[in-house]
Amino acid sequence: MTNKPHPLSMASLPGLDKRYRAEKRFKFAGVLAVFSSLAFLGFLIVAIALKSAGAFQTYEVEILVKKEKYLELRDQPFIFLQSTMRYNLSGVVNGQAMREAVNMVVDGAEIDLLDHIENLQQNTRADGLGSYSVWVTLSNRVVSALSKQDIGTNLTARQQAWVEGWVANNKVRQRFNVGFLTNGDSRDPERAGIGSALVGSAFMLLVCMVLSFGVGILAAIYLEEFAPKNKYTVFLEVNINNLATVPSIIFGLLGLSVFLNLFGLPRSAAIVGGMVLALMTMPTIIIASRLALQSVPLSIREAAFSVGASPLQTVFHHVLPLALPGMLTGTILGMARAIGETAPLLMIGMLAFIVEAPDNIFDPASVLPVQIFLWAESPERGFEEKTAAAIIVLLAFLLVMNLTAIILRKKLEKKW
Amino acid sequence: MVTYTVNEDNNPDTVKAKIIVDKVSVAYGDHLALNDIALDIISNKVTALIGPSGCGKTTFLRCINRMNDLIGSCKVTGSILLDGYDIYAPEVDVEVLRRKVGMVFQKPNPFPKSIYDNIAYGVKIHGLASDKEELDAIVEQSLVRAGLFEEVADRLDVSGTSLSGGQQQRLCIARAIAISPDVILMDEPCSALDPIATAKIEELIHELKERYTIVIVTHSMQQAARVSDYTAFFHEGDLVEKGETSALFTNPNDKRTEAYITGRIG
């Protein structure tokens, strides 16, 4: 009597425990998959973020400049720099020491020095007496030694002594590297920034968005709401779906042969990049927009038709407002893909070394992903962290775009 | 069995056909949904269309305001005269026709806009109000006629979709009558509603037939008996029997009608 299982217990139904075990196994595998993908993602982001840290910060040293030397040597900047370094550092007695001293600060520091002093002079009296105190960016070698707290590796014994002296006297300060976000590209990793690439990316995205959003959404509306359903539209639909999966470099080749060679548009310009990316994102936008239109219930269309609205009024007064959040989400996700695209841009010559930010969409421009590609290829050690930092900026850009898509969708959905 | 013609004299004693349907057949591709229908729909009366699912009664209803045009494969032949004019004539504009022949659907489908905008929309697109005051008046009058005004008078700006099912359906009726149609088509308007909301709609139908000609599709024979003056019974695409509701329900001529109203088919 006591051995008889409860009629509703697990034991009363043979094979039930096996079913539960299978369920548990499946659940465990699922959780494992989620966590491993999270781990890979986390590893990637942490690795890049750690590497990029150096590029976002820079170190400066306080340099004293004698007013009389400034007045005497300001027309010979490099000699002025040498004299200033000799004044600030001890033991600069021969050519080798002078080279090492000048290498302590960033290339072109003499120009920075003169600029700073000129700025100071507007505020102070220049009577040729006393001295100026000016903050100058340190060279990449010193910066990386300071940020890694490993002074020994890349510096000579003399340079190590100087750095230690500066640090001991609190002459070194750490600053956020504004130049990284505002400067254009440069051969010197200390000066190279993503400023012009950001402007280029913005121009390109603008062109891409105007073209692909306008054309894509109108195409979707026509195909979904007005076009007759026949073999031609089915053929068109299949081809649009196929286009969405075409490798992006193919669009680059198309851009090269049509936009550059046939239409004669400028190489490396934001307008061509935007056009190529618009071609690439248009199928995505059309597909997302059609799905959004399909998800608007038939009953809304019927309601509009039943009060005598024309097809156009039905679409623009009732269907489109309901489908718009989905369309915008699709568009922003398409844009997010476009902004990270590199291959098609290389085909249209967006590979050039460009320092100046473009003034308009016809100027030669550089864009973020291409800038990353170029820096990743550079042999200088300093570009390694620049590359990582640019990737972080790009990722932040993508994050902001995706968040915008989510917020926009939530906000517009609420209204309806 | 009554027969009627369009009458031009305004003698209230003679029955007057608002819509005359003759030899109407509807095909979806190869499938024949309605076969040679002839039916007169009497002005200012309620005509109920009954029959088992798939018998073609909704298809028939949708021929009267040409909603079937939206389905590409649908082909309508025969003639439907509204006040003596063929609504399938080539010069007919469906938007004008639908202004004259409003429709209420099975599931309440208010626009996801405010109650006010729901009703004002049709008035605006047809330019039926010359200024804001006239529009306000039309909206109020429509709500009053649909028996909804008292319930929503202080919240015309809330979304139509936030109302209860029965209120939504009455909002849809108000939307339909705001553009002052002659005919209102109702496609099972109470099938998604509870008994109390249903009773309200039925009461409303009684009041509305003073001004409008009503055609209602219903699955409920009790409802047909309660609200309609005339009933037409459809079966497998044929119009089996038509006549005054009281006669059809008490003394059906056809065996299929009898089987359906006694619950043996359907």
Side-chain angles (χ1 to χ4, degrees):
Chain A
M1 235 1 214
T2 46
N3 288 343
K4 202 178 169 194
H6 189 291
L8 300 178
S9 73
M10 213 168 90
S12 66
L13 198 68
L16 198 61
D17 55 337
K18 207 173 147 194
R19 214 161 77 189
Y20 282 137
R21 273 209 304 278
E23 205 170 299
K24 257 187 191 156
R25 267 202 307 277
F26 183 77
K27 221 164 141 182
F28 176 72
V31 170
L32 200 69
V34 169
F35 274 102
S36 57
S37 64
L38 275 181
F40 280 121
L41 193 68
F43 177 74
L44 173 81
I45 290 180
V46 169
I48 297 173
L50 284 180
K51 211 171 242 179
S52 72
F56 287 113
Q57 62 191 23
T58 185
Y59 285 88
E60 290 178 338
V61 65
E62 188 179 20
I63 298 279
L64 291 174
V65 182
K66 275 190 177 166
K67 279 189 183 176
E68 56 187 51
K69 282 284 176 200
Y70 167 70
L71 294 173
E72 179 192 338
L73 292 171
R74 61 180 162 185
D75 295 331
Q76 295 149 286
F78 195 68
I79 296 173
F80 170 57
L81 176 70
Q82 286 177 329
S83 120
T84 308
M85 292 318 282
R86 193 182 291 119
Y87 176 63
N88 278 273
L89 297 172
S90 57
V92 185
V93 288
N94 53 26
Q96 176 59 30
M98 177 55 81
R99 260 196 296 284
E100 288 177 15
V102 169
N103 280 341
M104 292 291 284
V105 291
V106 69
D107 271 4
E110 60 274 19
I111 310 294
D112 292 347
L113 268 179
L114 291 173
D115 279 352
H116 284 313
I117 293 169
E118 249 165 63
N119 287 339
L120 282 174
Q121 275 203 315
Q122 286 165 358
N123 304 325
T124 55
R125 235 155 34 88
D127 52 7
L129 292 172
S131 61
Y132 300 111
S133 145
V134 179
W135 290 92
V136 177
T137 307
L138 286 165
S139 72
N140 192 58
R141 206 173 278 196
V142 180
V143 167
S144 78
L146 280 168
S147 59
K148 284 177 192 143
Q149 305 204 323
D150 169 27
I151 293 178
T153 317
N154 287 314
L155 302 179
T156 63
R158 224 182 328 242
Q159 286 176 324
Q160 287 174 36
W162 288 330
V163 171
E164 276 159 7
W166 279 341
V167 172
N169 292 325
N170 275 335
K171 290 206 155 209
V172 175
R173 71 175 179 189
Q174 193 183 352
R175 304 211 56 194
F176 178 72
N177 191 359
V178 183
F180 177 68
L181 296 177
T182 55
N183 290 353
D185 196 8
S186 166
R187 297 283 181 217
D188 302 324
E190 299 93 328
R191 291 184 181 279
I194 54 168
S196 61
L198 280 177
V199 177
S201 272
F203 272 132
M204 198 178 67
L205 215 58
L206 192 76
V207 173
C208 175
M209 195 161 80
V210 167
L211 289 178
S212 60
F213 186 69
V215 177
I217 280 190
L218 285 178
I221 291 175
Y222 176 73
L223 285 175
E224 198 57 43
E225 305 286 332
F226 296 102
K229 300 275 175 284
N230 55 29
K231 56 187 174 183
Y232 301 109
T233 46
V234 169
F235 176 75
L236 211 61
E237 199 171 317
V238 170
N239 276 293
I240 289 172
N241 290 341
N242 277 340
L243 272 182
T245 58
V246 166
S248 55
I249 196 157
I250 308 288
F251 288 103
L253 276 171
L254 179 90
L256 174 66
S257 61
V258 176
F259 297 146
L260 296 190
N261 294 346
L262 197 64
F263 294 169
L265 287 166
R267 278 167 63 93
S268 192
I271 184 164
V272 182
M275 282 159 84
V276 167
L277 293 183
L279 285 179
M280 197 194 78
T281 44
M282 227 181 282
T284 318
I285 291 176
I286 294 176
I287 292 169
S289 300
R290 292 189 66 175
L291 284 177
L293 287 169
Q294 278 166 18
S295 71
V296 175
L298 181 67
S299 66
I300 294 293
R301 293 181 177 85
E302 285 185 338
F305 283 128
S306 78
V307 294
S310 67
L312 196 71
Q313 286 171 326
T314 302
V315 169
F316 281 93
H317 295 166
H318 301 287
V319 178
L320 197 57
L322 290 174
L324 208 56
M327 291 174 152
L328 285 178
T329 311
T331 305
I332 293 180
L333 294 182
M335 292 293 120
R337 202 189 134 200
I339 197 184
E341 202 55 70
T342 321
L345 302 180
L346 301 184
M347 296 306 300
I348 55 157
M350 268 197 159
L351 193 58
F353 173 76
I354 285 155
V355 179
E356 291 289 310
D359 288 331
N360 57 50
I361 52 175
F362 298 99
D363 276 355
S366 183
V367 292
L368 260 183
V370 174
Q371 190 69 74
I372 292 169
F373 175 74
L374 288 174
W375 282 349
E377 283 195 319
S378 299
E380 286 94 334
R381 184 171 274 273
F383 280 119
E384 201 181 327
E385 55 192 27
K386 294 278 166 180
T387 309
I391 290 172
I392 291 287
V393 172
L394 186 61
L395 286 178
F397 230 108
L398 292 175
L399 195 69
V400 168
M401 286 183 82
N402 285 330
L403 277 179
T404 316
I406 292 169
I407 291 169
L408 215 60
R409 193 173 54 203
K410 285 265 177 273
K411 211 169 174 182
L412 285 170
E413 264 174 358
K414 238 180 222 166
K415 203 178 138 201
W416 287 91
Chain B
M1 196 64 212
V2 264
T3 49
Y4 0 76
T5 51
V6 184
N7 73 341
E8 302 297 335
D9 59 338
N10 281 324
N11 185 350
D13 295 333
T14 46
V15 281
K16 186 174 156 191
K18 183 76 184 169
I19 299 168
I20 298 171
V21 179
D22 194 26
K23 290 186 187 135
V24 164
S25 296
V26 179
Y28 296 111
D30 295 334
H31 171 70
L32 195 66
L34 281 178
N35 184 20
D36 199 18
I37 306 296
L39 178 69
D40 291 359
I41 292 163
I42 311 303
S43 194
N44 292 84
K45 298 284 179 195
V46 179
T47 303
L49 311 178
I50 61 169
S53 296
C55 68
K57 53 194 191 303
T58 298
T59 299
F60 177 70
L61 193 74
R62 283 165 171 258
C63 287
I64 305 175
N65 68 347
R66 290 184 59 175
M67 280 300 253
N68 283 336
D69 290 14
L70 301 177
I71 303 160
S73 62
C74 180
K75 199 164 162 17
V76 181
T77 54
S79 78
I80 299 177
L81 306 183
L82 174 70
D83 293 328
Y85 293 98
D86 187 2
I87 65 166
Y88 279 91
E91 63 265 36
V92 168
D93 185 287
V94 288
E95 277 106 62
V96 179
L97 169 70
R98 287 176 193 152
R99 227 214 86 192
K100 290 272 178 201
V101 184
M103 191 166 189
V104 176
F105 296 85
Q106 185 169 3
K107 214 174 134 248
N109 57 352
F111 298 127
K113 298 172 185 266
S114 74
I115 293 173
Y116 185 94
D117 287 341
N118 258 284
I119 300 167
Y121 179 70
V123 183
K124 277 187 200 155
I125 60 169
H126 294 296
L128 300 179
S130 52
D131 53 27
K132 179 84 168 73
E133 274 137 48
E134 200 181 339
L135 185 62
D136 288 349
I138 292 175
V139 169
E140 185 178 333
Q141 189 193 44
S142 307
L143 281 170
V144 170
R145 285 191 186 161
L148 191 60
F149 187 68
E150 281 176 20
E151 292 163 55
V152 299
D154 54 343
R155 48 184 177 129
L156 290 179
D157 54 341
V158 304
S159 173
T161 51
S162 68
L163 299 174
S164 74
Q167 288 174 326
Q168 286 189 21
Q169 197 60 296
R170 277 180 284 150
L171 178 62
C172 293
I173 293 173
R175 179 177 68 194
I177 61 186
I179 50 176
S180 40
D182 295 345
V183 181
I184 301 175
L185 309 174
M186 297 186 172
D187 186 3
E188 299 180 40
C190 302
S191 64
L193 305 181
D194 64 65
I196 294 168
T198 302
K200 277 191 182 158
I201 302 271
E202 288 180 5
E203 212 173 292
L204 185 60
I205 292 171
H206 264 297
E207 289 165 20
L208 289 174
K209 72 178 178 183
E210 303 254 318
R211 296 170 196 280
Y212 312 100
T213 302
I214 294 173
V215 185
I216 178 169
V217 166
T218 177
H219 264 302
S220 154
M221 267 147 326
Q222 288 86 347
Q223 185 172 58
R226 279 194 301 265
V227 302
S228 69
D229 304 296
Y230 298 94
T231 299
F233 171 64
F234 286 74
H235 188 257
E236 290 175 356
D238 291 318
L239 175 55
V240 176
E241 195 167 348
K242 57 193 174 181
E244 288 187 36
T245 302
S246 51
L248 190 132
F249 274 92
T250 50
N251 192 12
N253 288 327
D254 195 286
K255 282 212 155 57
R256 287 171 291 177
T257 317
E258 193 186 344
Y260 182 70
I261 60 179
T262 52
R264 274 183 281 129
I265 56 169

